[in-house]
Amino acid sequence: MTYVTKPRLHHPTLAKNRLGFTRRDYEGNVSTLCAGCGHDSISAALIQAFWELSIEPHRVAKLSGIGCSSKTPDYFLGNSHGFNTVHGRMPSVLTGANLANRDLIYLGVSGDGDSASIGLGQFGHVMRRGVNMTYILENNGVYGLTKGQFSATADKGSKAKRGQVNTEAPVDTVSLALIMGATFVARSFSGDKHQLVPLVKAAIAHEGAAFIDVISPCVAFNNHPGSTKSYDYVREHNEAVNRLDFWPSREAITVEYKDGQVIEVAQHDGSIIKLRKTHPDYDPGDRTRALTYIQQHQALGEVVTGLLYLHPEAEDLHAHLNTCEVAFNRLGEKELCPGAGMLEKINAALR
Amino acid sequence: MKRIESLNDFVIKFANVNGSGSASANELFAKSFLRMGIPVSPRNIFPSNIQGLPTWYEVRVDEKGWLGRRGGVDLMVAMNPQTWDADVKEIDPGGYLFYDDTKALPPSKFRDDIHVIGMPLTEICNATYTDSRERQLFKNIIYVGALAGMLGIEPEVIAELIGEQYKGKEKLLKPNLNAFKMGLDHARMHLKEACGLKVKRAYAVGEKIFIEGNAAAALGCVYGGATVCAWYPITPSSSLAEAFQRYCSRLRVDKETGKNKFAIIQGEDELASVGIAIGAGWNGARAFTATSGPGISLMTEFIGLAYFAEIPLTIIDVQRGGPSTGMPTRTQQADVLACAYASHGDTKHVLLFPEDPNECFEFAAQALDLADRLQTPVFLMTDLDIGMNQRLTAPLKWDDSRKYDRGKVMSAEELEAGKEFGRYLDVDGDGIPYRTLPGTHPSKGAYFTRGTTKNAYATYSEAGSDYVTNVQRLLKKFETAKTLVPKPVLTPAKVPARFGCIYYGSTSPAMSEALEALAGQGIFINALRVRSFPFQDELFDFVASHTKVFVVEQNRDAQLKTLLVNDAGINPASLISVLHYDGTPITARFITKEIAEIVAALNVRPIKKDKAA
Ligand SMILES: Cc1ncc(C[n+]2csc(CCOP(=O)(O)OP(=O)(O)O)c2C)c(N)n1
Ligand code: SF4
Ligand SMILES: [Mg+2]
């Protein structure tokens, strides 16, 4: 099996963004996933978000683990460098990459097996460190690539395709991300691009650890009755806390208010997130409340989606480590080597 | 009774209780010899705990400059009642036992073939200090004073060292000097002729410096341009990352902005540490991780990824005794095979074997160059003996005209000019492809890095032919590595010799000493110190030109020999292993005895001494 590169014939009527790029410029190779896979919808949302934000594709680094979900970075942003690492360990590689060059935008793509089972440790620690990234977890409750075993996010009592019932408690990645210190936490659904695209855009603009758990049905192994990650199940049980609009700071936007209450949250980079609340009592600035809210609705069998928590003044790992402004990978011997004279002094102190 | 009499040549061992403050006093003692121009090599022998359990510090003083562990003890400073019996037993006949005789001990606690030197340390301390912590701490300085008096260490030298240690802390300086003086006066008055071991100023230290291998390797990483260090605490490698932190805080903070030109991450485990180093290497920063055997085990999947996806990575393995937790505070060279072939699938890696702190510095900086040039993991194989002990070593050197070798990185200009880019394409026959760094060019040079098979243009492929082409190219790259890694060092015997000997790493000082001892017995051996893997032609020629070659190693399974046979195709019949693996550093006495016995068994008559001159 080899990958097919999409022909890049530009249709003259395709819309262009601020950089003059069409959506096509944000695409990658043709997906090899099953037709109807939720992961492909997420890729489409990512393409839309990067295009709308007018980000130069080559200024993005895409990192992933192993799984169907982790294969997807090959299917968008074809002009970006990608790194399909090892199973469950994308967070550490992303952390190192981010340290080496703080000037790029880092996108981490993972699956629920990748993040909640084998990689649970790295998932937690990358949040703690506050690595500036957008971490997308394409959550289908199964191991797609290894053909349908339960993952650690499968709900207790949910049924696998061949009928086995899951008896183990699920890992709630959203609550975990909150506890571990992520400064932007959201949940969405692959089939809801109106919710997902603005969330991705806001996550990209967030200068800290941004996490989005995207429920993403696997048509091969969980889109059947009994699965709690199927399209139908999620549509029926979706409980949206807010609708989100996002404007990058460079664009002056006049806002049209629709129904419902709107709150504005200014991000570190000056951009503004507007939350159109469907639930007037939901405040995404309150981490403790967010946790309780998620748990309460979980108990009712509801999947809470939307922006669950945002720390607008988040600091990232570079700030914690007080690193220099120039990307490490641009520093040479002049900046890094203390020189022979200093070594003589060091020698002298060791006699 | 025999009495060991020796000038500038003896071994003193301190038996202490861990955490009692003895470490800095003992170090002070060791350093005083250096200031008197006499080479010294101290070794920490410590258990895997922080406080309360036994710890030993063995100091070899030797004007001839042998720095390996000698074996045997001439003077035991027995400060730990818990290990008393074993400590007393270890003293060579005619040697000395120095102890605190405040409380009388029954005669059964002593031996009649050693000389016992008592001093009422506790009594003196109790009479002088009221605070219990002070009593403990100053006791150490008092015995250093007494030893100085007995052995003839110049008091000015120790006073000077105390002065340096407490520079700026005048409050502590004076009481320490007083304690030292108290011990000194006691010895001068009561113990003048108690001990036959004496020191006298010599001129055998010269320009040499005194540094731990871990600190030197850390400094090598600073000089070599490492900006990212990711690690997880494990003895005996932790002090390397800590030294990197210390040196960076001093040498890598931008003076104007106060910002750091380095990042150090204590990972959640070794998987994260190596993952961080790989991510940084992929993105063009120089990165390393420092660990020991158990950490290497955890890293192996990632090491395979770095090998196959061709990512620069420097791993410093400060080896300890394995398997499993093994002997965490003892030394071995037992990770050679684990590192040479680390990971699943067909993998092999570049290894560097430093002999001392000087080479730790040199090779650490070189490893960063090699990793970039070869786009692969490079292992610096040091061990606890080199890493955690201060060692006398040649001064560290840096040539200011030296440039970092960043390897084949294609620039935006080259891409723009239309230079062909195939991430896994061998354009000039050395097996090393060009890489691009993320973010280089808007439309050219991006590729998808993966551990799965791909063709020369980084496109996913499961075609067997693509796989074979790729892994064959990796072999070619390994051939190229031979031309870049440090060559072996030959020490020829004084007369033409039929025997050869191969050794590496921390065995070096003991081996040099053994070679001289063997020559004294008429056994002449050409010695080759291996400094890297893959092996170069010099090694084959060396083995081919000797009837038998000893391979001296500090592991059970003759790991380097296995590599020689397995990877270099050397006939095992020509190799004889000499193996030491009880966790203590190998000694010249051990090597000499083993080789002399084998030579005798082979029925070779030693060359008469007079003919050999
Ligand atoms: C160390 C290791 N163990 C096991 C595997 C096999 N494996 C590949 S993908 C996968 C599960 C992927 O599940 P998930 O992350 O949920 O991704 P999905 O395919 O569902 O998108 C497993 C177990 C592997 N690649 N590496
Ligand atoms: S197996 Fe499931 S997760 Fe994998 S591509 Fe098919 S639908 Fe998607
Ligand atoms: Mg999954």
Side-chain angles (χ1 to χ4, degrees):
Chain A
M1 184 175 60
T2 39
Y3 279 37
V4 187
T5 315
K6 273 188 194 169
R8 289 191 184 276
L9 288 174
H10 284 189
H11 200 280
T13 61
L14 283 181
K16 289 187 174 157
N17 66 9
R18 211 163 44 84
L19 300 172
F21 288 139
T22 70
R23 249 169 253 139
R24 274 289 167 82
D25 297 308
Y26 291 80
E27 291 176 352
N29 287 321
V30 171
S31 169
T32 60
L33 303 184
C34 308
C37 175
H39 299 350
D40 278 337
S41 314
I42 300 172
S43 298
L46 290 168
I47 289 169
Q48 182 70 20
F50 280 102
W51 177 76
E52 284 182 17
L53 286 173
S54 292
I55 288 168
E56 291 179 287
H58 77 292
R59 301 308 291 171
V60 182
K62 313 165 290 185
L63 294 102
S64 60
I66 298 287
C68 296
S69 34
S70 294
K71 281 161 75 172
T72 62
D74 201 14
Y75 315 142
F76 57 83
L77 300 185
N79 282 324
S80 313
H81 276 64
F83 196 166
N84 206 181
T85 63
V86 289
H87 195 20
R89 322 287 174 198
M90 170 274 284
S92 61
V93 182
L94 190 151
T95 302
N98 183 300
L99 288 174
N101 183 1
R102 61 187 304 167
D103 295 338
L104 301 183
I105 290 167
Y106 292 89
L107 177 70
V109 176
S110 178
D112 41 319
D114 206 59
S115 283
S117 292
I118 192 168
L120 191 68
Q122 294 213 344
F123 172 78
H125 287 278
V126 80
M127 302 303 166
R128 276 182 65 224
R129 294 198 177 102
V131 178
N132 185 2
M133 61 172 179
T134 298
Y135 191 124
I136 308 279
L137 196 161
E138 310 194 343
N139 187 354
N140 53 15
V142 294
Y143 288 5
L145 196 61
T146 50
K147 300 203 185 320
Q149 300 83 1
F150 280 123
S151 88
T153 65
D155 289 306
K156 215 169 173 168
S158 69
K159 259 199 200 130
K161 200 169 183 179
R162 291 195 198 93
Q164 321 82 297
V165 175
N166 180 36
T167 56
E168 295 173 15
V171 172
D172 179 26
T173 55
V174 161
S175 300
L176 195 59
L178 279 169
I179 289 168
M180 297 307 291
T183 44
F184 178 113
V185 178
R187 172 143 46 206
S188 189
F189 177 46
S190 63
D192 184 357
K193 72 166 186 249
H194 296 297
Q195 186 190 48
L196 182 54
V197 172
L199 278 176
V200 171
K201 287 164 71 181
I204 292 167
H206 182 70
E207 294 188 359
F211 172 64
I212 311 179
D213 179 280
V214 190
I215 293 160
S216 175
C218 166
V219 290
F221 301 110
N222 66 10
N223 208 21
H224 57 269
S227 163
T228 56
K229 297 273 192 298
S230 67
Y231 282 107
D232 291 343
Y233 185 91
V234 178
R235 283 219 176 88
E236 273 162 33
H237 294 77
N238 187 354
E239 166 74 15
V241 288
N242 43 42
R243 285 278 164 202
L244 186 70
D245 290 326
F246 172 76
W247 289 277
S249 53
R250 46 189 172 270
E251 283 170 38
I253 294 282
T254 46
V255 189
E256 261 182 64
Y257 288 87
K258 286 198 186 141
D259 7 294
Q261 195 188 341
V262 176
I263 65 159
E264 290 190 4
V265 188
Q267 297 248 77
H268 221 197
D269 69 347
S271 58
I272 289 172
I273 290 175
K274 289 183 186 271
L275 294 167
R276 192 163 18 221
K277 291 200 160 188
T278 51
H279 279 245
D281 59 338
Y282 194 79
D283 172 12
D286 184 340
R287 197 165 139 269
T288 324
R289 273 281 295 132
L291 275 164
T292 317
Y293 192 87
I294 294 163
Q295 304 295 317
Q296 280 167 346
H297 285 265
Q298 209 157 277
L300 300 172
E302 287 173 0
V303 185
V304 180
T305 62
L307 179 62
L308 302 166
Y309 176 64
L310 173 68
H311 186 326
E313 298 283 298
E315 270 199 349
D316 85 325
L317 181 62
H318 281 280
H320 298 159
L321 295 177
N322 189 33
T323 55
C324 58
E325 292 304 322
V326 184
F328 283 172
N329 70 357
R330 286 183 17 227
L331 301 174
E333 41 285 282
K334 198 172 131 280
E335 295 84 15
L336 299 176
C337 183
M342 176 55 77
L343 199 55
E344 268 315 306
K345 281 192 203 153
I346 293 170
N347 281 329
L350 293 166
R351 288 186 178 118
Chain B
M1 197 202 324
K2 182 183 159 192
R3 189 178 141 102
I4 298 176
E5 307 271 353
S6 186
L7 179 69
N8 289 357
D9 178 7
F10 46 81
V11 172
I12 299 181
K13 189 166 179 173
F14 296 82
N16 296 102
V17 174
N18 216 2
S20 64
S22 57
S24 56
N26 293 348
E27 196 185 314
L28 184 79
F29 175 76
K31 254 192 146 171
S32 68
F33 296 96
L34 295 182
R35 294 290 171 92
M36 286 179 66
I38 312 158
V40 66
S41 56
R43 282 180 169 77
N44 291 292
I45 302 161
F46 56 94
S48 186
N49 62 278
I50 305 304
Q51 212 182 6
L53 280 167
T55 175
W56 292 268
Y57 188 71
E58 198 178 278
V59 181
R60 178 176 190 186
V61 177
D62 184 11
E63 191 179 340
K64 288 199 292 297
W66 299 123
L67 301 175
R69 189 178 187 220
R70 188 198 72 179
V73 175
D74 301 313
L75 166 59
M76 177 69 73
V77 181
M79 291 295 141
N80 186 356
Q82 233 187 316
T83 56
W84 174 274
D85 292 340
D87 293 336
V88 170
K89 217 167 134 192
E90 213 186 325
I91 302 166
D92 283 2
Y96 306 87
L97 169 69
F98 178 87
Y99 80 114
D100 180 356
D101 68 357
T102 303
K103 227 164 63 188
L105 288 169
S108 63
K109 285 283 178 192
F110 300 91
R111 275 165 49 184
D112 42 19
D113 61 343
I114 56 170
H115 304 273
V116 175
I117 308 167
M119 175 171 173
L121 281 165
T122 306
E123 194 183 301
I124 297 172
C125 284
N126 289 355
T128 321
Y129 309 101
T130 46
D131 179 69
S132 66
R133 182 79 195 140
E134 281 191 340
R135 282 176 178 169
Q136 178 56 57
L137 287 179
F138 289 122
K139 192 198 256 182
N140 300 318
I141 300 295
I142 293 173
Y143 74 60
V144 168
L147 292 173
M150 266 163 43
L151 303 173
I153 299 171
E154 295 168 14
E156 304 74 33
V157 161
I158 293 196
E160 179 186 77
L161 285 165
I162 294 177
E164 288 169 20
Q165 190 177 343
Y166 296 105
K167 205 169 143 195
K169 300 175 203 152
E170 307 305 325
K171 259 220 207 102
L172 292 168
L173 175 64
K174 205 102 215 265
N176 272 284
L177 285 173
N178 288 344
F180 170 69
K181 184 106 195 334
M182 219 184 311
L184 184 76
D185 292 345
H186 178 93
R188 284 182 167 171
M189 199 138 38
H190 305 289
L191 308 171
K192 192 107 198 160
E193 294 310 320
C195 184
L197 312 176
K198 296 288 171 206
V199 284
K200 213 177 115 199
R201 187 166 277 276
Y203 300 90
V205 172
E207 283 297 284
K208 290 207 177 96
I209 60 165
F210 197 51
I211 185 172
E212 288 171 7
N214 282 354
L219 205 49
C221 291
V222 174
Y223 272 74
T227 46
V228 176
C229 161
W231 66 295
Y232 188 75
I234 183 169
T235 306
S237 75
S238 301
S239 59
L240 201 159
E242 285 155 4
F244 186 71
Q245 169 80 60
R246 232 176 24 248
Y247 283 125
C248 280
S249 310
R250 228 178 98 195
L251 305 169
R252 280 281 194 77
V253 180
D254 189 272
K255 287 212 179 64
E256 277 159 36
T257 61
K259 299 264 187 189
N260 296 334
K261 291 181 281 185
F262 64 94
I264 299 166
I265 305 270
Q266 186 184 314
E268 57 271 27
D269 54 28
E270 284 85 349
L271 286 83
S273 308
V274 76
I276 290 168
I278 287 172
W282 174 72
N283 214 359
R286 293 198 149 180
F288 74 98
T289 181
T291 188
S292 192
I296 296 289
S297 299
L298 284 186
M299 292 177 185
T300 50
E301 186 193 15
F302 253 137
I303 291 168
L305 174 75
Y307 173 80
F308 201 47
E310 300 182 62
I311 295 164
L313 168 66
T314 298
I315 298 177
I316 304 178
D317 179 5
V318 190
Q319 296 167 92
R320 63 192 216 179
S324 189
T325 314
M327 298 188 289
T329 58
R330 302 284 189 265
T331 197
Q332 268 186 1
Q333 299 175 314
D335 296 344
V336 175
L337 285 176
C339 291
Y341 297 133
S343 209
H344 50 285
D346 286 324
T347 50
K348 36 187 169 178
H349 309 292
V350 175
L351 314 179
L352 306 178
F353 302 109
E355 67 165 342
D356 65 1
N358 184 280
E359 280 191 347
C360 282
F361 172 80
E362 188 53 46
F363 288 4
Q366 198 180 352
L368 293 161
D369 271 351
L370 287 168
D372 265 353
R373 168 58 51 185
L374 293 164
Q375 300 175 22
T376 201
V378 175
F379 291 79
L380 181 65
M381 305 292 290
T382 95
D383 60 26
L384 183 146
D385 188 33
I386 305 177
M388 287 188 72
N389 292 311
Q390 288 179 304
R391 185 68 47 82
L392 206 56
T393 195
L396 309 179
K397 280 213 157 57
W398 190 264
D399 177 354
D400 279 334
S401 66
R402 178 169 168 174
K403 292 266 171 281
Y404 296 157
D405 179 4
R406 302 311 312 261
K408 293 180 175 172
V409 181
M410 209 178 273
S411 65
E413 292 71 35
E414 288 170 308
L415 289 164
E416 190 57 40
K419 188 164 173 179
E420 187 188 20
F421 175 65
R423 174 62 184 97
Y424 298 105
L425 188 67
D426 183 9
V427 281
D428 43 20
D430 61 3
I432 307 169
Y434 271 86
R435 62 177 181 138
T436 52
L437 301 183
T440 299
H441 190 279
S443 59
K444 297 187 171 98
Y447 67 97
F448 200 65
T449 312
R450 44 163 65 88
T452 32
T453 304
K454 54 259 159 179
N455 66 17
Y457 295 90
T459 303
Y460 180 80
S461 163
E462 288 178 7
S465 55
D466 281 335
Y467 180 82
V468 171
T469 306
N470 201 35
V471 293
Q472 285 299 125
R473 181 181 52 73
L474 288 172
L475 276 186
K476 195 189 275 177
K477 186 163 94 170
F478 209 57
E479 280 300 307
T480 302
K482 287 184 188 173
T483 65
L484 301 173
V485 295
K487 288 200 183 287
V489 178
L490 177 74
T491 309
K494 289 203 194 85
V495 297
R498 298 165 52 195
F499 290 110
C501 172
I502 287 173
Y503 64 103
Y504 58 100
S506 66
T507 303
S508 190
M511 190 70 228
S512 307
E513 188 181 354
L515 287 170
E516 193 175 284
L518 286 162
Q521 299 177 23
I523 301 169
F524 291 90
I525 297 175
N526 297 320
L528 192 71
R529 181 163 69 86
V530 172
R531 298 200 295 168
S532 58
F533 175 73
F535 303 128
Q536 296 120 326
D537 290 344
E538 284 84 348
L539 231 135
F540 300 89
D541 301 344
F542 182 80
V543 177
S545 56
H546 294 91
T547 26
K548 292 280 179 205
V549 174
F550 297 100
V551 186
V552 184
E553 308 191 51
Q554 301 185 57
N555 58 61
R556 183 193 71 181
D557 289 346
Q559 298 193 18
L560 193 90
K561 180 182 159 208
T562 306
L563 265 192
L564 287 168
V565 172
N566 197 46
D567 214 86
I570 286 174
N571 179 7
S574 56
L575 304 177
I576 303 172
S577 277
V578 174
L579 304 171
H580 179 91
Y581 49 90
D582 67 2
T584 60
I586 195 166
T587 63
R589 287 181 183 178
F590 173 85
I591 301 173
T592 310
K593 183 168 162 287
E594 287 284 307
I595 291 185
E597 276 173 21
I598 297 167
V599 169
L602 288 171
N603 229 345
V604 182
R605 241 183 313 126
I607 300 173
K608 285 255 173 58
K609 247 191 170 172
D610 46 60
K611 286 191 187 149

